[in-house]
Amino acid sequence: MSAIIFSALFVIVPILSLGIFVLVFALIFSPKLRGKFMSKQIKAANYMLKDVQDDLTEMGAISGRINANTRKRILDQNEDVLKDVEIREANIEKEGIEIKTRAIKDGFKGDTMYCKHCGALIDEDSKFCKKCGKEQ
Ligand SMILES: [Zn+2]
């Protein structure tokens, strides 16, 4: 009995191998067949997505809740520092706006520039600021 099964393997294995070989070549050279295979995979992925849609929605809700709670906790624990940072950033922005406003008022004179350190209007070729004395 086992001899029959053993000899049957000599028929089945080559047939299977040949079948796989033919299929691989067909897939390589036939875009149509590849398309059919891919469309089946896409359908399968679609079913999977529909299946896990509720889970994904729930995960998104949990993630959003964690995010909101984390932001609240950061604010609760660091309000003073965050306020300080906000004020300092606003002051930096204010300085920049003041420099730009002055530039507009001065009409963008070609031969002048603004000091990198104090924002004073100085000659374009000056190496040091005449107001704060720092190098340009
Ligand atoms: Zn200066």
Side-chain angles (χ1 to χ4, degrees), residues 81-115:
V81 177
L82 289 171
K83 243 183 218 165
D84 189 44
V85 168
E86 277 298 318
I87 290 168
R88 282 170 67 181
E89 280 178 352
N91 278 328
I92 291 167
E93 211 168 300
K94 182 176 162 260
E95 237 171 81
I97 290 169
E98 280 169 1
I99 291 173
K100 281 176 196 153
T101 310
R102 235 177 296 146
I104 292 166
K105 257 168 66 184
D106 295 341
F108 294 106
K109 289 171 191 154
D111 50 352
T112 55
M113 65 175 187
Y114 292 93
C115 170

PDB file of all heavy atoms in Angstrom, residues 81-115:
ATOM      1  N   VAL A  81       4.936  77.617  32.433  1.00  0.00           N
ATOM      2  CA  VAL A  81       6.006  77.561  31.432  1.00  0.00           C
ATOM      3  C   VAL A  81       5.445  77.873  30.048  1.00  0.00           C
ATOM      4  O   VAL A  81       6.028  78.658  29.281  1.00  0.00           O
ATOM      5  CB  VAL A  81       6.671  76.165  31.431  1.00  0.00           C
ATOM      6  CG1 VAL A  81       7.733  76.076  30.350  1.00  0.00           C
ATOM      7  CG2 VAL A  81       7.278  75.868  32.793  1.00  0.00           C
ATOM      8  N   LEU A  82       4.285  77.269  29.711  1.00  0.00           N
ATOM      9  CA  LEU A  82       3.703  77.483  28.393  1.00  0.00           C
ATOM     10  C   LEU A  82       3.318  78.947  28.185  1.00  0.00           C
ATOM     11  O   LEU A  82       3.508  79.501  27.100  1.00  0.00           O
ATOM     12  CB  LEU A  82       2.471  76.584  28.210  1.00  0.00           C
ATOM     13  CG  LEU A  82       2.790  75.097  28.052  1.00  0.00           C
ATOM     14  CD1 LEU A  82       1.514  74.274  28.099  1.00  0.00           C
ATOM     15  CD2 LEU A  82       3.533  74.839  26.761  1.00  0.00           C
ATOM     16  N   LYS A  83       2.780  79.583  29.256  1.00  0.00           N
ATOM     17  CA  LYS A  83       2.429  81.001  29.177  1.00  0.00           C
ATOM     18  C   LYS A  83       3.676  81.830  28.879  1.00  0.00           C
ATOM     19  O   LYS A  83       3.664  82.715  28.029  1.00  0.00           O
ATOM     20  CB  LYS A  83       1.817  81.455  30.505  1.00  0.00           C
ATOM     21  CG  LYS A  83       0.378  81.908  30.384  1.00  0.00           C
ATOM     22  CD  LYS A  83      -0.122  82.411  31.726  1.00  0.00           C
ATOM     23  CE  LYS A  83      -1.555  82.005  31.937  1.00  0.00           C
ATOM     24  NZ  LYS A  83      -1.971  82.152  33.319  1.00  0.00           N
ATOM     25  N   ASP A  84       4.753  81.515  29.617  1.00  0.00           N
ATOM     26  CA  ASP A  84       6.020  82.223  29.442  1.00  0.00           C
ATOM     27  C   ASP A  84       6.527  82.092  27.999  1.00  0.00           C
ATOM     28  O   ASP A  84       6.921  83.082  27.378  1.00  0.00           O
ATOM     29  CB  ASP A  84       7.046  81.649  30.427  1.00  0.00           C
ATOM     30  CG  ASP A  84       8.316  82.481  30.466  1.00  0.00           C
ATOM     31  OD1 ASP A  84       8.190  83.723  30.498  1.00  0.00           O
ATOM     32  OD2 ASP A  84       9.414  81.884  30.450  1.00  0.00           O
ATOM     33  N   VAL A  85       6.469  80.865  27.472  1.00  0.00           N
ATOM     34  CA  VAL A  85       6.920  80.615  26.089  1.00  0.00           C
ATOM     35  C   VAL A  85       6.073  81.424  25.111  1.00  0.00           C
ATOM     36  O   VAL A  85       6.605  82.063  24.190  1.00  0.00           O
ATOM     37  CB  VAL A  85       6.850  79.105  25.765  1.00  0.00           C
ATOM     38  CG1 VAL A  85       7.023  78.855  24.277  1.00  0.00           C
ATOM     39  CG2 VAL A  85       7.904  78.340  26.556  1.00  0.00           C
ATOM     40  N   GLU A  86       4.737  81.413  25.309  1.00  0.00           N
ATOM     41  CA  GLU A  86       3.837  82.168  24.432  1.00  0.00           C
ATOM     42  C   GLU A  86       4.213  83.648  24.402  1.00  0.00           C
ATOM     43  O   GLU A  86       4.299  84.269  23.342  1.00  0.00           O
ATOM     44  CB  GLU A  86       2.382  82.053  24.920  1.00  0.00           C
ATOM     45  CG  GLU A  86       1.629  80.822  24.489  1.00  0.00           C
ATOM     46  CD  GLU A  86       1.461  80.672  22.995  1.00  0.00           C
ATOM     47  OE1 GLU A  86       1.175  81.681  22.319  1.00  0.00           O
ATOM     48  OE2 GLU A  86       1.614  79.556  22.506  1.00  0.00           O
ATOM     49  N   ILE A  87       4.422  84.213  25.604  1.00  0.00           N
ATOM     50  CA  ILE A  87       4.727  85.643  25.715  1.00  0.00           C
ATOM     51  C   ILE A  87       6.058  85.948  25.037  1.00  0.00           C
ATOM     52  O   ILE A  87       6.172  86.924  24.280  1.00  0.00           O
ATOM     53  CB  ILE A  87       4.747  86.079  27.203  1.00  0.00           C
ATOM     54  CG1 ILE A  87       3.319  86.049  27.753  1.00  0.00           C
ATOM     55  CG2 ILE A  87       5.337  87.482  27.359  1.00  0.00           C
ATOM     56  CD1 ILE A  87       3.231  86.164  29.260  1.00  0.00           C
ATOM     57  N   ARG A  88       7.051  85.080  25.279  1.00  0.00           N
ATOM     58  CA  ARG A  88       8.360  85.331  24.662  1.00  0.00           C
ATOM     59  C   ARG A  88       8.279  85.237  23.143  1.00  0.00           C
ATOM     60  O   ARG A  88       8.874  86.042  22.427  1.00  0.00           O
ATOM     61  CB  ARG A  88       9.395  84.348  25.220  1.00  0.00           C
ATOM     62  CG  ARG A  88       9.830  84.805  26.607  1.00  0.00           C
ATOM     63  CD  ARG A  88      10.658  83.783  27.304  1.00  0.00           C
ATOM     64  NE  ARG A  88      11.957  83.572  26.669  1.00  0.00           N
ATOM     65  CZ  ARG A  88      12.847  82.678  27.122  1.00  0.00           C
ATOM     66  NH1 ARG A  88      12.578  81.960  28.176  1.00  0.00           N
ATOM     67  NH2 ARG A  88      13.992  82.546  26.514  1.00  0.00           N
ATOM     68  N   GLU A  89       7.543  84.238  22.647  1.00  0.00           N
ATOM     69  CA  GLU A  89       7.392  84.100  21.192  1.00  0.00           C
ATOM     70  C   GLU A  89       6.673  85.310  20.604  1.00  0.00           C
ATOM     71  O   GLU A  89       7.048  85.812  19.534  1.00  0.00           O
ATOM     72  CB  GLU A  89       6.622  82.814  20.857  1.00  0.00           C
ATOM     73  CG  GLU A  89       7.500  81.587  20.903  1.00  0.00           C
ATOM     74  CD  GLU A  89       6.760  80.295  20.614  1.00  0.00           C
ATOM     75  OE1 GLU A  89       5.515  80.326  20.524  1.00  0.00           O
ATOM     76  OE2 GLU A  89       7.424  79.265  20.497  1.00  0.00           O
ATOM     77  N   ALA A  90       5.650  85.793  21.326  1.00  0.00           N
ATOM     78  CA  ALA A  90       4.911  86.969  20.857  1.00  0.00           C
ATOM     79  C   ALA A  90       5.836  88.184  20.797  1.00  0.00           C
ATOM     80  O   ALA A  90       5.760  88.989  19.856  1.00  0.00           O
ATOM     81  CB  ALA A  90       3.732  87.239  21.783  1.00  0.00           C
ATOM     82  N   ASN A  91       6.714  88.312  21.800  1.00  0.00           N
ATOM     83  CA  ASN A  91       7.652  89.437  21.808  1.00  0.00           C
ATOM     84  C   ASN A  91       8.645  89.362  20.658  1.00  0.00           C
ATOM     85  O   ASN A  91       8.966  90.379  20.043  1.00  0.00           O
ATOM     86  CB  ASN A  91       8.402  89.496  23.144  1.00  0.00           C
ATOM     87  CG  ASN A  91       7.578  90.192  24.209  1.00  0.00           C
ATOM     88  OD1 ASN A  91       6.797  91.097  23.901  1.00  0.00           O
ATOM     89  ND2 ASN A  91       7.716  89.763  25.443  1.00  0.00           N
ATOM     90  N   ILE A  92       9.123  88.149  20.362  1.00  0.00           N
ATOM     91  CA  ILE A  92      10.039  87.972  19.236  1.00  0.00           C
ATOM     92  C   ILE A  92       9.353  88.383  17.942  1.00  0.00           C
ATOM     93  O   ILE A  92       9.902  89.111  17.113  1.00  0.00           O
ATOM     94  CB  ILE A  92      10.528  86.508  19.157  1.00  0.00           C
ATOM     95  CG1 ILE A  92      11.448  86.199  20.348  1.00  0.00           C
ATOM     96  CG2 ILE A  92      11.267  86.250  17.845  1.00  0.00           C
ATOM     97  CD1 ILE A  92      11.739  84.724  20.535  1.00  0.00           C
ATOM     98  N   GLU A  93       8.095  87.922  17.791  1.00  0.00           N
ATOM     99  CA  GLU A  93       7.325  88.250  16.594  1.00  0.00           C
ATOM    100  C   GLU A  93       7.107  89.768  16.498  1.00  0.00           C
ATOM    101  O   GLU A  93       7.232  90.351  15.418  1.00  0.00           O
ATOM    102  CB  GLU A  93       5.980  87.537  16.662  1.00  0.00           C
ATOM    103  CG  GLU A  93       5.414  87.166  15.319  1.00  0.00           C
ATOM    104  CD  GLU A  93       4.244  86.213  15.464  1.00  0.00           C
ATOM    105  OE1 GLU A  93       4.425  85.113  16.009  1.00  0.00           O
ATOM    106  OE2 GLU A  93       3.154  86.598  15.045  1.00  0.00           O
ATOM    107  N   LYS A  94       6.809  90.379  17.650  1.00  0.00           N
ATOM    108  CA  LYS A  94       6.561  91.819  17.700  1.00  0.00           C
ATOM    109  C   LYS A  94       7.789  92.584  17.204  1.00  0.00           C
ATOM    110  O   LYS A  94       7.668  93.518  16.397  1.00  0.00           O
ATOM    111  CB  LYS A  94       6.242  92.227  19.141  1.00  0.00           C
ATOM    112  CG  LYS A  94       5.925  93.687  19.340  1.00  0.00           C
ATOM    113  CD  LYS A  94       5.527  93.930  20.789  1.00  0.00           C
ATOM    114  CE  LYS A  94       5.637  95.390  21.145  1.00  0.00           C
ATOM    115  NZ  LYS A  94       6.851  95.715  21.876  1.00  0.00           N
ATOM    116  N   GLU A  95       8.970  92.142  17.671  1.00  0.00           N
ATOM    117  CA  GLU A  95      10.214  92.793  17.248  1.00  0.00           C
ATOM    118  C   GLU A  95      10.380  92.710  15.730  1.00  0.00           C
ATOM    119  O   GLU A  95      10.718  93.694  15.072  1.00  0.00           O
ATOM    120  CB  GLU A  95      11.404  92.103  17.911  1.00  0.00           C
ATOM    121  CG  GLU A  95      12.275  93.032  18.720  1.00  0.00           C
ATOM    122  CD  GLU A  95      13.299  92.242  19.509  1.00  0.00           C
ATOM    123  OE1 GLU A  95      14.321  91.856  18.927  1.00  0.00           O
ATOM    124  OE2 GLU A  95      13.035  91.973  20.699  1.00  0.00           O
ATOM    125  N   GLY A  96      10.114  91.508  15.183  1.00  0.00           N
ATOM    126  CA  GLY A  96      10.214  91.311  13.740  1.00  0.00           C
ATOM    127  C   GLY A  96       9.260  92.208  12.988  1.00  0.00           C
ATOM    128  O   GLY A  96       9.614  92.826  11.975  1.00  0.00           O
ATOM    129  N   ILE A  97       8.025  92.295  13.492  1.00  0.00           N
ATOM    130  CA  ILE A  97       7.015  93.141  12.846  1.00  0.00           C
ATOM    131  C   ILE A  97       7.455  94.611  12.900  1.00  0.00           C
ATOM    132  O   ILE A  97       7.295  95.346  11.921  1.00  0.00           O
ATOM    133  CB  ILE A  97       5.633  92.938  13.507  1.00  0.00           C
ATOM    134  CG1 ILE A  97       5.112  91.547  13.158  1.00  0.00           C
ATOM    135  CG2 ILE A  97       4.641  94.003  13.048  1.00  0.00           C
ATOM    136  CD1 ILE A  97       3.887  91.133  13.947  1.00  0.00           C
ATOM    137  N   GLU A  98       8.015  95.010  14.047  1.00  0.00           N
ATOM    138  CA  GLU A  98       8.485  96.397  14.169  1.00  0.00           C
ATOM    139  C   GLU A  98       9.573  96.706  13.138  1.00  0.00           C
ATOM    140  O   GLU A  98       9.559  97.763  12.495  1.00  0.00           O
ATOM    141  CB  GLU A  98       9.020  96.647  15.593  1.00  0.00           C
ATOM    142  CG  GLU A  98       7.909  96.903  16.602  1.00  0.00           C
ATOM    143  CD  GLU A  98       8.406  96.878  18.045  1.00  0.00           C
ATOM    144  OE1 GLU A  98       9.621  96.675  18.258  1.00  0.00           O
ATOM    145  OE2 GLU A  98       7.573  97.056  18.943  1.00  0.00           O
ATOM    146  N   ILE A  99      10.513  95.766  12.972  1.00  0.00           N
ATOM    147  CA  ILE A  99      11.591  95.965  11.992  1.00  0.00           C
ATOM    148  C   ILE A  99      11.019  96.072  10.583  1.00  0.00           C
ATOM    149  O   ILE A  99      11.383  96.948   9.803  1.00  0.00           O
ATOM    150  CB  ILE A  99      12.629  94.821  12.095  1.00  0.00           C
ATOM    151  CG1 ILE A  99      13.395  94.943  13.415  1.00  0.00           C
ATOM    152  CG2 ILE A  99      13.599  94.858  10.916  1.00  0.00           C
ATOM    153  CD1 ILE A  99      14.315  93.776  13.692  1.00  0.00           C
ATOM    154  N   LYS A 100      10.068  95.172  10.267  1.00  0.00           N
ATOM    155  CA  LYS A 100       9.465  95.199   8.930  1.00  0.00           C
ATOM    156  C   LYS A 100       8.697  96.502   8.710  1.00  0.00           C
ATOM    157  O   LYS A 100       8.775  97.104   7.634  1.00  0.00           O
ATOM    158  CB  LYS A 100       8.520  94.007   8.758  1.00  0.00           C
ATOM    159  CG  LYS A 100       9.240  92.717   8.466  1.00  0.00           C
ATOM    160  CD  LYS A 100       8.261  91.562   8.408  1.00  0.00           C
ATOM    161  CE  LYS A 100       9.022  90.246   8.522  1.00  0.00           C
ATOM    162  NZ  LYS A 100       8.206  89.195   9.089  1.00  0.00           N
ATOM    163  N   THR A 101       7.946  96.928   9.751  1.00  0.00           N
ATOM    164  CA  THR A 101       7.183  98.168   9.639  1.00  0.00           C
ATOM    165  C   THR A 101       8.116  99.350   9.386  1.00  0.00           C
ATOM    166  O   THR A 101       7.853 100.207   8.536  1.00  0.00           O
ATOM    167  CB  THR A 101       6.379  98.415  10.924  1.00  0.00           C
ATOM    168  OG1 THR A 101       5.656  97.241  11.238  1.00  0.00           O
ATOM    169  CG2 THR A 101       5.403  99.570  10.755  1.00  0.00           C
ATOM    170  N   ARG A 102       9.246  99.381  10.145  1.00  0.00           N
ATOM    171  CA  ARG A 102      10.226 100.460   9.956  1.00  0.00           C
ATOM    172  C   ARG A 102      10.773 100.436   8.531  1.00  0.00           C
ATOM    173  O   ARG A 102      10.945 101.480   7.893  1.00  0.00           O
ATOM    174  CB  ARG A 102      11.373 100.303  10.958  1.00  0.00           C
ATOM    175  CG  ARG A 102      11.582 101.562  11.785  1.00  0.00           C
ATOM    176  CD  ARG A 102      12.661 101.346  12.819  1.00  0.00           C
ATOM    177  NE  ARG A 102      12.272 100.335  13.796  1.00  0.00           N
ATOM    178  CZ  ARG A 102      13.126  99.483  14.381  1.00  0.00           C
ATOM    179  NH1 ARG A 102      14.405  99.490  14.073  1.00  0.00           N
ATOM    180  NH2 ARG A 102      12.702  98.616  15.266  1.00  0.00           N
ATOM    181  N   ALA A 103      11.031  99.206   8.016  1.00  0.00           N
ATOM    182  CA  ALA A 103      11.553  99.076   6.650  1.00  0.00           C
ATOM    183  C   ALA A 103      10.563  99.649   5.648  1.00  0.00           C
ATOM    184  O   ALA A 103      10.948 100.343   4.708  1.00  0.00           O
ATOM    185  CB  ALA A 103      11.827  97.603   6.334  1.00  0.00           C
ATOM    186  N   ILE A 104       9.272  99.385   5.861  1.00  0.00           N
ATOM    187  CA  ILE A 104       8.252  99.913   4.942  1.00  0.00           C
ATOM    188  C   ILE A 104       8.207 101.440   5.046  1.00  0.00           C
ATOM    189  O   ILE A 104       8.161 102.147   4.032  1.00  0.00           O
ATOM    190  CB  ILE A 104       6.872  99.285   5.260  1.00  0.00           C
ATOM    191  CG1 ILE A 104       6.895  97.796   4.918  1.00  0.00           C
ATOM    192  CG2 ILE A 104       5.762  99.985   4.485  1.00  0.00           C
ATOM    193  CD1 ILE A 104       5.731  97.008   5.479  1.00  0.00           C
ATOM    194  N   LYS A 105       8.248 101.939   6.314  1.00  0.00           N
ATOM    195  CA  LYS A 105       8.214 103.388   6.514  1.00  0.00           C
ATOM    196  C   LYS A 105       9.414 104.072   5.852  1.00  0.00           C
ATOM    197  O   LYS A 105       9.307 105.148   5.279  1.00  0.00           O
ATOM    198  CB  LYS A 105       8.207 103.706   8.017  1.00  0.00           C
ATOM    199  CG  LYS A 105       6.816 104.110   8.515  1.00  0.00           C
ATOM    200  CD  LYS A 105       6.725 104.148  10.015  1.00  0.00           C
ATOM    201  CE  LYS A 105       7.582 105.239  10.641  1.00  0.00           C
ATOM    202  NZ  LYS A 105       7.508 105.150  12.126  1.00  0.00           N
ATOM    203  N   ASP A 106      10.586 103.400   5.955  1.00  0.00           N
ATOM    204  CA  ASP A 106      11.809 103.979   5.383  1.00  0.00           C
ATOM    205  C   ASP A 106      11.878 103.786   3.870  1.00  0.00           C
ATOM    206  O   ASP A 106      12.806 104.257   3.221  1.00  0.00           O
ATOM    207  CB  ASP A 106      13.038 103.353   6.043  1.00  0.00           C
ATOM    208  CG  ASP A 106      13.113 103.717   7.521  1.00  0.00           C
ATOM    209  OD1 ASP A 106      12.459 104.704   7.916  1.00  0.00           O
ATOM    210  OD2 ASP A 106      13.792 103.006   8.275  1.00  0.00           O
ATOM    211  N   GLY A 107      10.918 103.047   3.333  1.00  0.00           N
ATOM    212  CA  GLY A 107      10.832 102.880   1.884  1.00  0.00           C
ATOM    213  C   GLY A 107      11.931 102.023   1.297  1.00  0.00           C
ATOM    214  O   GLY A 107      12.376 102.250   0.166  1.00  0.00           O
ATOM    215  N   PHE A 108      12.411 101.032   2.019  1.00  0.00           N
ATOM    216  CA  PHE A 108      13.415 100.083   1.504  1.00  0.00           C
ATOM    217  C   PHE A 108      14.598 100.781   0.836  1.00  0.00           C
ATOM    218  O   PHE A 108      14.857 100.587  -0.341  1.00  0.00           O
ATOM    219  CB  PHE A 108      12.782  99.107   0.508  1.00  0.00           C
ATOM    220  CG  PHE A 108      11.786  98.187   1.132  1.00  0.00           C
ATOM    221  CD1 PHE A 108      10.441  98.362   0.915  1.00  0.00           C
ATOM    222  CD2 PHE A 108      12.197  97.154   1.964  1.00  0.00           C
ATOM    223  CE1 PHE A 108       9.505  97.526   1.510  1.00  0.00           C
ATOM    224  CE2 PHE A 108      11.275  96.318   2.553  1.00  0.00           C
ATOM    225  CZ  PHE A 108       9.922  96.502   2.327  1.00  0.00           C
ATOM    226  N   LYS A 109      15.295 101.615   1.593  1.00  0.00           N
ATOM    227  CA  LYS A 109      16.466 102.280   1.028  1.00  0.00           C
ATOM    228  C   LYS A 109      17.514 101.232   0.652  1.00  0.00           C
ATOM    229  O   LYS A 109      17.868 100.374   1.460  1.00  0.00           O
ATOM    230  CB  LYS A 109      17.045 103.263   2.044  1.00  0.00           C
ATOM    231  CG  LYS A 109      16.132 104.472   2.224  1.00  0.00           C
ATOM    232  CD  LYS A 109      16.615 105.317   3.386  1.00  0.00           C
ATOM    233  CE  LYS A 109      15.572 106.363   3.747  1.00  0.00           C
ATOM    234  NZ  LYS A 109      15.674 106.759   5.145  1.00  0.00           N
ATOM    235  N   GLY A 110      18.030 101.301  -0.566  1.00  0.00           N
ATOM    236  CA  GLY A 110      18.914 100.261  -1.080  1.00  0.00           C
ATOM    237  C   GLY A 110      20.248 100.159  -0.366  1.00  0.00           C
ATOM    238  O   GLY A 110      20.793  99.072  -0.223  1.00  0.00           O
ATOM    239  N   ASP A 111      20.770 101.290   0.112  1.00  0.00           N
ATOM    240  CA  ASP A 111      22.115 101.267   0.668  1.00  0.00           C
ATOM    241  C   ASP A 111      22.137 101.110   2.189  1.00  0.00           C
ATOM    242  O   ASP A 111      23.141 101.341   2.825  1.00  0.00           O
ATOM    243  CB  ASP A 111      22.864 102.542   0.244  1.00  0.00           C
ATOM    244  CG  ASP A 111      22.038 103.795   0.537  1.00  0.00           C
ATOM    245  OD1 ASP A 111      20.854 103.639   0.906  1.00  0.00           O
ATOM    246  OD2 ASP A 111      22.571 104.906   0.399  1.00  0.00           O
ATOM    247  N   THR A 112      21.010 100.700   2.765  1.00  0.00           N
ATOM    248  CA  THR A 112      20.969 100.502   4.219  1.00  0.00           C
ATOM    249  C   THR A 112      20.469  99.088   4.553  1.00  0.00           C
ATOM    250  O   THR A 112      19.912  98.407   3.698  1.00  0.00           O
ATOM    251  CB  THR A 112      20.017 101.505   4.898  1.00  0.00           C
ATOM    252  OG1 THR A 112      18.736 101.380   4.287  1.00  0.00           O
ATOM    253  CG2 THR A 112      20.511 102.927   4.772  1.00  0.00           C
ATOM    254  N   MET A 113      20.752  98.698   5.821  1.00  0.00           N
ATOM    255  CA  MET A 113      20.226  97.408   6.294  1.00  0.00           C
ATOM    256  C   MET A 113      19.917  97.539   7.774  1.00  0.00           C
ATOM    257  O   MET A 113      20.192  98.573   8.387  1.00  0.00           O
ATOM    258  CB  MET A 113      21.240  96.299   6.047  1.00  0.00           C
ATOM    259  CG  MET A 113      22.520  96.449   6.842  1.00  0.00           C
ATOM    260  SD  MET A 113      23.562  95.019   6.559  1.00  0.00           S
ATOM    261  CE  MET A 113      24.873  95.320   7.735  1.00  0.00           C
ATOM    262  N   TYR A 114      19.359  96.467   8.348  1.00  0.00           N
ATOM    263  CA  TYR A 114      19.011  96.497   9.765  1.00  0.00           C
ATOM    264  C   TYR A 114      19.977  95.623  10.564  1.00  0.00           C
ATOM    265  O   TYR A 114      20.354  94.542  10.119  1.00  0.00           O
ATOM    266  CB  TYR A 114      17.568  96.043   9.974  1.00  0.00           C
ATOM    267  CG  TYR A 114      16.607  97.046   9.403  1.00  0.00           C
ATOM    268  CD1 TYR A 114      16.120  96.927   8.116  1.00  0.00           C
ATOM    269  CD2 TYR A 114      16.252  98.167  10.146  1.00  0.00           C
ATOM    270  CE1 TYR A 114      15.286  97.883   7.580  1.00  0.00           C
ATOM    271  CE2 TYR A 114      15.412  99.132   9.613  1.00  0.00           C
ATOM    272  CZ  TYR A 114      14.930  98.983   8.330  1.00  0.00           C
ATOM    273  OH  TYR A 114      14.112  99.927   7.802  1.00  0.00           O
ATOM    274  N   CYS A 115      20.405  96.139  11.722  1.00  0.00           N
ATOM    275  CA  CYS A 115      21.318  95.407  12.597  1.00  0.00           C
ATOM    276  C   CYS A 115      20.697  94.068  12.988  1.00  0.00           C
ATOM    277  O   CYS A 115      19.529  93.994  13.335  1.00  0.00           O
ATOM    278  CB  CYS A 115      21.617  96.237  13.838  1.00  0.00           C
ATOM    279  SG  CYS A 115      22.504  95.311  15.098  1.00  0.00           S
TER     280      CYS A 115
END
